[in-house]
C-alpha cells in the first residue's frame, strides 16, 4: 500500500506522524493509538536522526515483544542507520543488528512479494513478532509512504 502527501523538507516528527496516520487508515494497525509513533517522537531518538535529510528515501523497521515489553526499531537510509531497543522510558542504542541483513535487504529493495514468500515459508517460530516496515520517498515536495506488516522470518543457514 502507498500514500502520497506534500512535504519534502518536513522534520522527522512530522513524517513519523504521517506514517502513523497512513498505517491506521490503510488498516495495517487496527487501533488509532500508535506506540511506535510515541517512541519515534522522543528527543533521544530525534537527536540520532540528523542523517535523514541526506537522501530521498528513508526506511523504518519496527516491532515489539509482548513477553518483555521491548520495542525494537531501525531507521536508515543509504548513508547511515540507527537501531534501538526502547523499554520503560529508556533507549538502548548500543545494540547489535535487531533485524537480519536479509530482512533489511528485502525492505530496502521493497520486494513485498518476496517478503510475503519468506513470511509464508520461513516464519515457523512459535510466536513470530509482527514487523512493520515503512518506506518514505521524498520527491519534489511530496512524500510517498509505503507500509507492510509481516511476521518475522528466519532461516538459520542464511540469517545467523
Amino acid at each position: 500500500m502507498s500514500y502520497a502527501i506534500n512535504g519534502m523538507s518536513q522534520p522527522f516528527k512530522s513524517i513519523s506522524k504521517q506514517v502513523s496516520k497512513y498505517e491506521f487508515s490503510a488498516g495495517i494497525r487496527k487501533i488509532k493509538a500508535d506506540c511506535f509513533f510515541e517512541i519515534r517522537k522522543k528527543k533521544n531518538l530525534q537527536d540520532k536522526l540528523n542523517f535523514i535529510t541526506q537522501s530521498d528515501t528513508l526506511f523504518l523497521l519496527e516491532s515489539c515483544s509482548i513477553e518483555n515489553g521491548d520495542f525494537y526499531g531501525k531507521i536508515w537510509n543509504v548513508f547511515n542507520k540507527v537501531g534501538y531497543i526502547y523499554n520503560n522510558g529508556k533507549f538502548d542504542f548500543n545494540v547489535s543488528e535487531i533485524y537480519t541483513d536479509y530482512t533489511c535487504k528485502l525492505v530496502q529493495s521493497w520486494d513485498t512479494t518476496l517478503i510475503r514468500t519468506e513470511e509464508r515459508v520461513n516464519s515457523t517460530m512459535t510466536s513470530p513478532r509482527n514487523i512493520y516496515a515503512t518506506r518514505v520517498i521524498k520527491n519534489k515536495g511530496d512524500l510517498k509512504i509505503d507500509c507492510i506488516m509481516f511476521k518475522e522470518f528466519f532461516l538459520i543457514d542464511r540469517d545467523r
Side-chain angles (χ1 to χ4, degrees):
M1 305 194 123
S2 63
Y3 177 62
I5 51 182
N6 188 15
M8 180 173 154
S9 61
Q10 296 180 20
F12 180 73
K13 189 187 276 188
S14 175
I15 293 168
S16 177
K17 185 173 186 170
Q18 292 169 47
V19 166
S20 180
K21 186 176 172 182
Y22 171 70
E23 286 176 347
F24 180 70
S25 67
I28 292 171
R29 274 187 305 100
K30 304 298 181 204
I31 58 172
K32 195 164 190 170
D34 181 4
C35 294
F36 296 120
F37 169 67
E38 294 302 319
I39 292 167
R40 287 191 305 259
K41 72 180 187 178
K42 296 210 178 284
K43 182 168 179 18
N44 292 5
L45 181 57
Q46 295 277 320
D47 289 346
K48 301 271 186 191
L49 297 173
N50 57 3
F51 65 88
I52 68 167
T53 59
Q54 297 172 339
S55 78
D56 62 351
T57 305
L58 185 66
F59 301 95
L60 295 87
L61 281 171
E62 298 170 308
S63 57
C64 65
S65 170
I66 295 171
E67 292 84 12
N68 62 16
D70 284 346
F71 287 84
Y72 307 96
K74 181 176 181 178
I75 301 170
W76 79 98
N77 61 19
V78 295
F79 297 107
N80 211 335
K81 67 182 176 186
V82 63
Y84 60 88
I85 299 173
Y86 178 84
N87 189 321
N88 203 21
K90 295 183 180 167
F91 281 98
D92 181 0
F93 294 107
N94 298 315
V95 294
S96 59
E97 290 301 316
I98 299 163
Y99 303 101
T100 67
D101 289 341
Y102 185 65
T103 299
C104 294
K105 178 182 154 200
L106 292 181
V107 169
Q108 193 159 333
S109 65
W110 205 251
D111 192 339
T112 57
T113 302
L114 193 49
I115 289 171
R116 289 291 183 222
T117 300
E118 285 292 334
E119 177 185 41
R120 189 176 64 257
V121 174
N122 293 314
S123 183
T124 57
M125 296 162 260
T126 304
S127 182
R129 291 181 289 176
N130 288 334
I131 297 176
Y132 297 84
T134 305
R135 174 179 67 172
V136 180
I137 301 171
K138 298 181 274 186
N139 184 18
K140 296 181 182 176
D142 291 327
L143 294 179
K144 180 182 178 217
I145 300 174
D146 299 302
C147 296
I148 184 173
M149 191 267 300
F150 57 93
K151 300 277 185 212
E152 180 180 20
F153 50 82
F154 189 83
L155 184 60
I156 193 139
D157 292 336
R158 177 193 63 213
D159 297 325
R160 63 181 143 150

